Amino acid sequence: MSIRVAKTGNEAVAEGMRQINPDVVAAYPITPQTEIVQIFSSFVANGKVDTEFVTVESEHSAMSATVGAASAGARAMTATSANGLALMWEIVYIAASMRLPIVMPVVNRALSGPINIHCDHSDTMGARDSGWIQIFSENAQEAYDNLLQAVRIAENKNVLLPVMVTMDGFIISHAMEVMHLLEDEKVKQWVGEYVPENPLLDVDNPVTVGPLDLYDWNMEHKRQQAEAMVQAKPVILEVARNYAKLSGREYGLFEEYMLDDAEIAIVALGSTAGTAKEVVKALRADGVKAGLLKVRVFRPFPACEIARALQGKKAVAVMDRSDSFNAVSGPVFAEVRSAMYGIENAPAIVDYIYGIGGRDVTMDHIRSVYDDLAKIAKTGQVERTLTYLGIRE
Amino acid sequence: MAKLLEIRWHGRAGQGAKTAALVLAEAVISTGRHAQAFPEYGPERMGAPMQAFNRISDESITIHSHVERPKIVIVLDPTLMSTVDVKAGVPDDGIYLINTPLSVAEIRKKLKLDASKAKVYTLDATQISIDTIGRPIPNTPMMGALVAATGLLTLDELIGDTRIKLAKKLRPDVVDKNIEAIRRAYQEVAQ
């Protein structure tokens, strides 16, 4: 049976990494991810893992070393946040296009500037088109579960893409709560022996890694990369089914919370979804047909599935914890609204940008969004598409 | 116990409010209940006012916003009462647990709680920690006072859990001194 413990999100992810026991971890500490690297390095120092731990001088080097290790044939991991991810940028794209199954926890934090250490999703949303699979976590348990599943998703031969597993900085990374760990032996069997595809160190079968790829074949290779993202969707679901057998915890591309008969619904990612669940419960007790759709897998984006789940609702609000500065909406709204274009009985849909730079989102805030939705559902009128939730102006 | 109990700790950075909140959550979780512990992170510098929070429930807790309306407020540093609104969001029948050499009546007056339904407890936790542990670390005795005031845990549960935790990093005689601090606080807390 699983082990019931009190852990912070960072501790949970570090435990998961210990159990995965990757061949190589190359990482650089950055708030609020620091503890993951700190705790994991103590596992290395104490001989709890066999990992070659590479201390690097920057995140650009962290991702470069991880790419090098993965190309060589190692199961390789790193972890980062915000500006660290930004500094990796060049190599983040290269990792995906080289089809390296790297797994990287990202502890969501606002990208500078102004400088800020708290949670928003601007870091991973910025990397949404980098070719990485992106899985968001509501709490410490999900960060741990998603991490273990990420290894199997990334390394699946139909996928071979790197995976980011996110959790909200401080809100989850530094908050202690109840969670369940799997036994070490179970995780060892779950991730299994890593068999790399075309490793550089297989000298009997020499390969070229990272060659020049101009207009003759580059487009075909990018097309294959796009296809891998399509193929990832059924793999993610299959891995989730197997993980449910192992852990008893079920995951999908997204979670539907009291959504079936809901008339108004919020779409949210990360820890806010947890707070919203409590609001939904309270609204249901008052007879309001409120529901929630929590996006777990943002890349590949489950467009058809989400459209189907929201079809027939009267009004839907998308919660965006980052801004696109495109004079239209946040990034999640753009995806969700686009997914619903042309479907019958599409709901009215509005966007709320919230929680930027760690701004707290309270149950009252979320309730006010449902109040707005109830009004839209009743009148059929959308006064404004985009609202900055709780802003002083 | 209320369905969801929320606690706010007021301290100064370095005084152990975050650790106390974590220790409390861990102890509660080990009794089979659900709990959260999280600090408020600001510009971190020694001595700056800071807060830490707990949520405790029999059911799983999915809320991840700050604690705004705590039923229980614990003040580790009495000087904070002049600079921070420790009463913010607390209901009329809230519970205050203050580390201070002052009496309950004096604290009620200071916090303008004379006529209120609020319960006020005081304890000179700093002095107790100096007497027992030999250093001014009020968070350990305040845990003893908290369980005495609220019954969140039994004294045995708290001592048992603290013993296990401290034994991992402290010498047995130092562990005993911490336990002594908790016992004294449990008995000396005044209402």
Side-chain angles (χ1 to χ4, degrees), chain A residues 79-116:
Chain A
T80 196
S81 289
N83 298 19
L85 179 59
L87 188 53
M88 286 179 178
W89 217 255
E90 177 190 8
I91 318 298
V92 164
Y93 276 71
I94 291 172
S97 60
M98 285 172 72
R99 308 289 299 277
L100 298 171
I102 294 164
V103 172
M104 172 166 70
V106 180
V107 184
N108 285 123
R109 162 185 157 179
L111 276 176
S112 295
I115 194 162
N116 181 297

mmCIF file of all heavy atoms in Angstrom, chain A residues 79-116:
data_model
loop_
_atom_site.group_PDB
_atom_site.id
_atom_site.type_symbol
_atom_site.label_atom_id
_atom_site.label_comp_id
_atom_site.label_asym_id
_atom_site.label_seq_id
_atom_site.Cartn_x
_atom_site.Cartn_y
_atom_site.Cartn_z
ATOM 1 N N ALA A 79 15.421 20.645 -13.386
ATOM 2 C CA ALA A 79 14.239 21.305 -12.813
ATOM 3 C C ALA A 79 14.521 22.790 -12.813
ATOM 4 O O ALA A 79 15.681 23.207 -12.701
ATOM 5 C CB ALA A 79 13.993 20.819 -11.384
ATOM 6 N N THR A 80 13.467 23.600 -12.918
ATOM 7 C CA THR A 80 13.693 25.043 -12.927
ATOM 8 C C THR A 80 12.434 25.821 -12.595
ATOM 9 O O THR A 80 11.392 25.245 -12.271
ATOM 10 C CB THR A 80 14.285 25.498 -14.282
ATOM 11 O OG1 THR A 80 14.842 26.803 -14.132
ATOM 12 C CG2 THR A 80 13.244 25.510 -15.387
ATOM 13 N N SER A 81 12.556 27.134 -12.670
ATOM 14 C CA SER A 81 11.448 28.071 -12.487
ATOM 15 C C SER A 81 11.742 29.315 -13.328
ATOM 16 O O SER A 81 12.909 29.680 -13.505
ATOM 17 C CB SER A 81 11.359 28.562 -11.031
ATOM 18 O OG SER A 81 10.926 27.562 -10.161
ATOM 19 N N ALA A 82 10.691 29.959 -13.781
ATOM 20 C CA ALA A 82 10.716 31.343 -14.292
ATOM 21 C C ALA A 82 11.943 31.720 -15.111
ATOM 22 O O ALA A 82 12.167 31.195 -16.195
ATOM 23 C CB ALA A 82 10.542 32.314 -13.120
ATOM 24 N N ASN A 83 12.759 32.635 -14.555
ATOM 25 C CA ASN A 83 13.898 33.163 -15.298
ATOM 26 C C ASN A 83 14.883 32.062 -15.655
ATOM 27 O O ASN A 83 15.614 32.174 -16.639
ATOM 28 C CB ASN A 83 14.609 34.247 -14.482
ATOM 29 C CG ASN A 83 13.704 35.439 -14.206
ATOM 30 O OD1 ASN A 83 12.488 35.321 -14.301
ATOM 31 N ND2 ASN A 83 14.276 36.559 -13.877
ATOM 32 N N GLY A 84 14.909 31.006 -14.851
ATOM 33 C CA GLY A 84 15.749 29.857 -15.171
ATOM 34 C C GLY A 84 15.294 29.200 -16.457
ATOM 35 O O GLY A 84 16.105 28.873 -17.332
ATOM 36 N N LEU A 85 13.972 29.049 -16.594
ATOM 37 C CA LEU A 85 13.419 28.479 -17.824
ATOM 38 C C LEU A 85 13.704 29.414 -18.997
ATOM 39 O O LEU A 85 14.043 28.972 -20.104
ATOM 40 C CB LEU A 85 11.910 28.244 -17.656
ATOM 41 C CG LEU A 85 11.150 27.672 -18.854
ATOM 42 C CD1 LEU A 85 11.713 26.324 -19.283
ATOM 43 C CD2 LEU A 85 9.666 27.533 -18.527
ATOM 44 N N ALA A 86 13.601 30.713 -18.720
ATOM 45 C CA ALA A 86 13.859 31.696 -19.780
ATOM 46 C C ALA A 86 15.306 31.596 -20.271
ATOM 47 O O ALA A 86 15.574 31.705 -21.468
ATOM 48 C CB ALA A 86 13.567 33.104 -19.266
ATOM 49 N N LEU A 87 16.213 31.379 -19.342
ATOM 50 C CA LEU A 87 17.628 31.293 -19.732
ATOM 51 C C LEU A 87 17.920 29.997 -20.499
ATOM 52 O O LEU A 87 18.856 29.923 -21.276
ATOM 53 C CB LEU A 87 18.512 31.393 -18.480
ATOM 54 C CG LEU A 87 20.021 31.520 -18.676
ATOM 55 C CD1 LEU A 87 20.376 32.665 -19.606
ATOM 56 C CD2 LEU A 87 20.715 31.710 -17.331
ATOM 57 N N MET A 88 17.083 28.988 -20.287
ATOM 58 C CA MET A 88 17.239 27.706 -21.001
ATOM 59 C C MET A 88 16.707 27.769 -22.433
ATOM 60 O O MET A 88 16.921 26.847 -23.209
ATOM 61 C CB MET A 88 16.401 26.615 -20.315
ATOM 62 C CG MET A 88 16.904 26.092 -19.029
ATOM 63 S SD MET A 88 15.708 24.854 -18.422
ATOM 64 C CE MET A 88 16.565 24.334 -16.937
ATOM 65 N N TRP A 89 15.952 28.798 -22.726
ATOM 66 C CA TRP A 89 15.041 28.852 -23.877
ATOM 67 C C TRP A 89 15.548 28.164 -25.141
ATOM 68 O O TRP A 89 14.894 27.293 -25.717
ATOM 69 C CB TRP A 89 14.731 30.318 -24.194
ATOM 70 C CG TRP A 89 13.329 30.517 -24.637
ATOM 71 C CD1 TRP A 89 12.898 30.757 -25.908
ATOM 72 C CD2 TRP A 89 12.168 30.493 -23.824
ATOM 73 N NE1 TRP A 89 11.539 30.896 -25.929
ATOM 74 C CE2 TRP A 89 11.058 30.740 -24.665
ATOM 75 C CE3 TRP A 89 11.940 30.277 -22.467
ATOM 76 C CZ2 TRP A 89 9.752 30.781 -24.191
ATOM 77 C CZ3 TRP A 89 10.653 30.316 -22.003
ATOM 78 C CH2 TRP A 89 9.574 30.556 -22.853
ATOM 79 N N GLU A 90 16.739 28.596 -25.569
ATOM 80 C CA GLU A 90 17.312 28.081 -26.811
ATOM 81 C C GLU A 90 17.371 26.555 -26.785
ATOM 82 O O GLU A 90 16.984 25.878 -27.744
ATOM 83 C CB GLU A 90 18.718 28.672 -26.948
ATOM 84 C CG GLU A 90 19.481 28.197 -28.147
ATOM 85 C CD GLU A 90 20.946 28.619 -28.093
ATOM 86 O OE1 GLU A 90 21.395 29.152 -27.050
ATOM 87 O OE2 GLU A 90 21.634 28.415 -29.097
ATOM 88 N N ILE A 91 17.812 26.018 -25.642
ATOM 89 C CA ILE A 91 18.043 24.584 -25.556
ATOM 90 C C ILE A 91 16.738 23.823 -25.270
ATOM 91 O O ILE A 91 16.623 22.640 -25.571
ATOM 92 C CB ILE A 91 19.116 24.259 -24.483
ATOM 93 C CG1 ILE A 91 20.277 25.240 -24.565
ATOM 94 C CG2 ILE A 91 19.617 22.835 -24.631
ATOM 95 C CD1 ILE A 91 21.043 25.227 -25.879
ATOM 96 N N VAL A 92 15.765 24.537 -24.715
ATOM 97 C CA VAL A 92 14.449 23.918 -24.486
ATOM 98 C C VAL A 92 13.850 23.466 -25.821
ATOM 99 O O VAL A 92 13.367 22.336 -25.963
ATOM 100 C CB VAL A 92 13.501 24.913 -23.761
ATOM 101 C CG1 VAL A 92 12.046 24.476 -23.850
ATOM 102 C CG2 VAL A 92 13.917 25.058 -22.298
ATOM 103 N N TYR A 93 13.927 24.343 -26.813
ATOM 104 C CA TYR A 93 13.422 23.998 -28.146
ATOM 105 C C TYR A 93 14.246 22.860 -28.757
ATOM 106 O O TYR A 93 13.707 21.976 -29.439
ATOM 107 C CB TYR A 93 13.478 25.229 -29.069
ATOM 108 C CG TYR A 93 12.280 26.136 -28.919
ATOM 109 C CD1 TYR A 93 12.108 26.913 -27.779
ATOM 110 C CD2 TYR A 93 11.316 26.205 -29.922
ATOM 111 C CE1 TYR A 93 11.007 27.737 -27.638
ATOM 112 C CE2 TYR A 93 10.214 27.039 -29.790
ATOM 113 C CZ TYR A 93 10.058 27.800 -28.648
ATOM 114 O OH TYR A 93 8.965 28.611 -28.509
ATOM 115 N N ILE A 94 15.564 22.905 -28.530
ATOM 116 C CA ILE A 94 16.438 21.883 -29.111
ATOM 117 C C ILE A 94 16.132 20.515 -28.499
ATOM 118 O O ILE A 94 16.081 19.502 -29.207
ATOM 119 C CB ILE A 94 17.923 22.290 -28.919
ATOM 120 C CG1 ILE A 94 18.221 23.510 -29.814
ATOM 121 C CG2 ILE A 94 18.863 21.132 -29.229
ATOM 122 C CD1 ILE A 94 19.578 24.134 -29.589
ATOM 123 N N ALA A 95 15.879 20.477 -27.204
ATOM 124 C CA ALA A 95 15.552 19.208 -26.535
ATOM 125 C C ALA A 95 14.335 18.563 -27.186
ATOM 126 O O ALA A 95 14.311 17.352 -27.438
ATOM 127 C CB ALA A 95 15.297 19.449 -25.049
ATOM 128 N N ALA A 96 13.331 19.393 -27.486
ATOM 129 C CA ALA A 96 12.100 18.853 -28.083
ATOM 130 C C ALA A 96 12.346 18.400 -29.511
ATOM 131 O O ALA A 96 11.905 17.320 -29.921
ATOM 132 C CB ALA A 96 10.995 19.902 -28.038
ATOM 133 N N SER A 97 13.077 19.210 -30.283
ATOM 134 C CA SER A 97 13.264 18.865 -31.694
ATOM 135 C C SER A 97 14.219 17.693 -31.856
ATOM 136 O O SER A 97 14.161 16.984 -32.862
ATOM 137 C CB SER A 97 13.737 20.075 -32.489
ATOM 138 O OG SER A 97 14.958 20.537 -31.979
ATOM 139 N N MET A 98 15.067 17.447 -30.850
ATOM 140 C CA MET A 98 15.923 16.261 -30.885
ATOM 141 C C MET A 98 15.206 15.027 -30.334
ATOM 142 O O MET A 98 15.790 13.947 -30.269
ATOM 143 C CB MET A 98 17.226 16.513 -30.117
ATOM 144 C CG MET A 98 18.191 17.411 -30.887
ATOM 145 S SD MET A 98 19.613 17.912 -29.905
ATOM 146 C CE MET A 98 20.520 16.380 -29.830
ATOM 147 N N ARG A 99 13.946 15.237 -29.936
ATOM 148 C CA ARG A 99 13.085 14.145 -29.478
ATOM 149 C C ARG A 99 13.694 13.414 -28.277
ATOM 150 O O ARG A 99 13.684 12.178 -28.194
ATOM 151 C CB ARG A 99 12.804 13.170 -30.626
ATOM 152 C CG ARG A 99 12.282 13.836 -31.895
ATOM 153 C CD ARG A 99 10.874 14.336 -31.717
ATOM 154 N NE ARG A 99 9.967 13.251 -31.417
ATOM 155 C CZ ARG A 99 9.417 12.455 -32.341
ATOM 156 N NH1 ARG A 99 9.693 12.652 -33.617
ATOM 157 N NH2 ARG A 99 8.593 11.500 -31.987
ATOM 158 N N LEU A 100 14.188 14.213 -27.326
ATOM 159 C CA LEU A 100 14.827 13.640 -26.140
ATOM 160 C C LEU A 100 13.815 13.572 -24.988
ATOM 161 O O LEU A 100 13.232 14.595 -24.615
ATOM 162 C CB LEU A 100 16.034 14.490 -25.736
ATOM 163 C CG LEU A 100 17.133 14.545 -26.803
ATOM 164 C CD1 LEU A 100 18.195 15.573 -26.416
ATOM 165 C CD2 LEU A 100 17.774 13.167 -27.005
ATOM 166 N N PRO A 101 13.605 12.390 -24.430
ATOM 167 C CA PRO A 101 12.563 12.227 -23.400
ATOM 168 C C PRO A 101 12.997 12.723 -22.027
ATOM 169 O O PRO A 101 13.021 11.978 -21.049
ATOM 170 C CB PRO A 101 12.310 10.716 -23.406
ATOM 171 C CG PRO A 101 13.604 10.121 -23.858
ATOM 172 C CD PRO A 101 14.245 11.114 -24.785
ATOM 173 N N ILE A 102 13.321 13.995 -21.958
ATOM 174 C CA ILE A 102 13.754 14.609 -20.695
ATOM 175 C C ILE A 102 12.510 14.962 -19.866
ATOM 176 O O ILE A 102 11.514 15.415 -20.424
ATOM 177 C CB ILE A 102 14.567 15.887 -20.995
ATOM 178 C CG1 ILE A 102 15.881 15.520 -21.700
ATOM 179 C CG2 ILE A 102 14.820 16.701 -19.742
ATOM 180 C CD1 ILE A 102 16.557 16.697 -22.382
ATOM 181 N N VAL A 103 12.575 14.748 -18.566
ATOM 182 C CA VAL A 103 11.483 15.168 -17.690
ATOM 183 C C VAL A 103 11.974 16.305 -16.810
ATOM 184 O O VAL A 103 13.045 16.205 -16.198
ATOM 185 C CB VAL A 103 10.967 13.991 -16.836
ATOM 186 C CG1 VAL A 103 9.959 14.484 -15.800
ATOM 187 C CG2 VAL A 103 10.331 12.930 -17.730
ATOM 188 N N MET A 104 11.198 17.383 -16.769
ATOM 189 C CA MET A 104 11.627 18.573 -16.033
ATOM 190 C C MET A 104 10.493 19.135 -15.188
ATOM 191 O O MET A 104 9.518 19.658 -15.723
ATOM 192 C CB MET A 104 12.111 19.653 -17.012
ATOM 193 C CG MET A 104 12.402 20.995 -16.348
ATOM 194 S SD MET A 104 13.340 22.135 -17.379
ATOM 195 C CE MET A 104 12.125 22.562 -18.634
ATOM 196 N N PRO A 105 10.585 19.040 -13.851
ATOM 197 C CA PRO A 105 9.642 19.783 -13.019
ATOM 198 C C PRO A 105 9.883 21.286 -13.183
ATOM 199 O O PRO A 105 11.037 21.727 -13.163
ATOM 200 C CB PRO A 105 9.993 19.345 -11.593
ATOM 201 C CG PRO A 105 10.829 18.112 -11.744
ATOM 202 C CD PRO A 105 11.523 18.238 -13.063
ATOM 203 N N VAL A 106 8.812 22.031 -13.381
ATOM 204 C CA VAL A 106 8.904 23.491 -13.412
ATOM 205 C C VAL A 106 8.004 24.033 -12.313
ATOM 206 O O VAL A 106 6.806 23.775 -12.299
ATOM 207 C CB VAL A 106 8.480 24.072 -14.778
ATOM 208 C CG1 VAL A 106 8.598 25.597 -14.759
ATOM 209 C CG2 VAL A 106 9.330 23.496 -15.902
ATOM 210 N N VAL A 107 8.604 24.751 -11.380
ATOM 211 C CA VAL A 107 7.832 25.348 -10.296
ATOM 212 C C VAL A 107 7.446 26.748 -10.757
ATOM 213 O O VAL A 107 8.294 27.635 -10.833
ATOM 214 C CB VAL A 107 8.652 25.367 -8.988
ATOM 215 C CG1 VAL A 107 7.787 25.894 -7.847
ATOM 216 C CG2 VAL A 107 9.178 23.971 -8.655
ATOM 217 N N ASN A 108 6.168 26.901 -11.063
ATOM 218 C CA ASN A 108 5.719 28.122 -11.736
ATOM 219 C C ASN A 108 5.978 29.380 -10.923
ATOM 220 O O ASN A 108 5.597 29.476 -9.754
ATOM 221 C CB ASN A 108 4.221 28.045 -12.042
ATOM 222 C CG ASN A 108 3.938 27.118 -13.201
ATOM 223 O OD1 ASN A 108 3.189 26.157 -13.083
ATOM 224 N ND2 ASN A 108 4.543 27.400 -14.343
ATOM 225 N N ARG A 109 6.595 30.332 -11.584
ATOM 226 C CA ARG A 109 6.902 31.633 -10.979
ATOM 227 C C ARG A 109 6.846 32.691 -12.062
ATOM 228 O O ARG A 109 7.141 32.411 -13.223
ATOM 229 C CB ARG A 109 8.303 31.562 -10.357
ATOM 230 C CG ARG A 109 8.935 32.906 -10.086
ATOM 231 C CD ARG A 109 10.374 32.795 -9.584
ATOM 232 N NE ARG A 109 11.066 34.038 -9.873
ATOM 233 C CZ ARG A 109 12.336 34.283 -9.550
ATOM 234 N NH1 ARG A 109 13.060 33.359 -8.944
ATOM 235 N NH2 ARG A 109 12.887 35.429 -9.851
ATOM 236 N N ALA A 110 6.519 33.904 -11.659
ATOM 237 C CA ALA A 110 6.418 35.022 -12.602
ATOM 238 C C ALA A 110 7.765 35.289 -13.257
ATOM 239 O O ALA A 110 8.800 35.298 -12.595
ATOM 240 C CB ALA A 110 5.956 36.272 -11.866
ATOM 241 N N LEU A 111 7.728 35.502 -14.566
ATOM 242 C CA LEU A 111 8.927 35.948 -15.268
ATOM 243 C C LEU A 111 9.164 37.417 -14.927
ATOM 244 O O LEU A 111 8.231 38.209 -14.909
ATOM 245 C CB LEU A 111 8.719 35.829 -16.785
ATOM 246 C CG LEU A 111 8.978 34.479 -17.458
ATOM 247 C CD1 LEU A 111 8.603 34.577 -18.924
ATOM 248 C CD2 LEU A 111 10.426 34.058 -17.329
ATOM 249 N N SER A 112 10.411 37.783 -14.729
ATOM 250 C CA SER A 112 10.753 39.197 -14.515
ATOM 251 C C SER A 112 10.566 39.922 -15.838
ATOM 252 O O SER A 112 10.729 39.319 -16.911
ATOM 253 C CB SER A 112 12.216 39.308 -14.087
ATOM 254 O OG SER A 112 12.383 38.699 -12.834
ATOM 255 N N GLY A 113 10.354 41.264 -15.761
ATOM 256 C CA GLY A 113 10.261 42.084 -14.568
ATOM 257 C C GLY A 113 8.856 42.660 -14.430
ATOM 258 O O GLY A 113 8.039 42.454 -15.285
ATOM 259 N N PRO A 114 8.529 43.414 -13.406
ATOM 260 C CA PRO A 114 9.439 43.687 -12.307
ATOM 261 C C PRO A 114 9.769 42.389 -11.578
ATOM 262 O O PRO A 114 8.957 41.456 -11.608
ATOM 263 C CB PRO A 114 8.631 44.623 -11.412
ATOM 264 C CG PRO A 114 7.466 45.064 -12.223
ATOM 265 C CD PRO A 114 7.214 44.010 -13.229
ATOM 266 N N ILE A 115 10.915 42.351 -10.945
ATOM 267 C CA ILE A 115 11.348 41.094 -10.335
ATOM 268 C C ILE A 115 10.341 40.646 -9.280
ATOM 269 O O ILE A 115 9.812 41.445 -8.519
ATOM 270 C CB ILE A 115 12.785 41.195 -9.782
ATOM 271 C CG1 ILE A 115 13.297 39.797 -9.477
ATOM 272 C CG2 ILE A 115 12.841 42.114 -8.571
ATOM 273 C CD1 ILE A 115 14.804 39.718 -9.333
ATOM 274 N N ASN A 116 10.064 39.368 -9.289
ATOM 275 C CA ASN A 116 9.020 38.793 -8.438
ATOM 276 C C ASN A 116 9.334 37.308 -8.315
ATOM 277 O O ASN A 116 9.770 36.688 -9.280
ATOM 278 C CB ASN A 116 7.655 39.012 -9.134
ATOM 279 C CG ASN A 116 6.485 38.480 -8.333
ATOM 280 O OD1 ASN A 116 6.376 37.293 -8.075
ATOM 281 N ND2 ASN A 116 5.589 39.361 -7.946
#
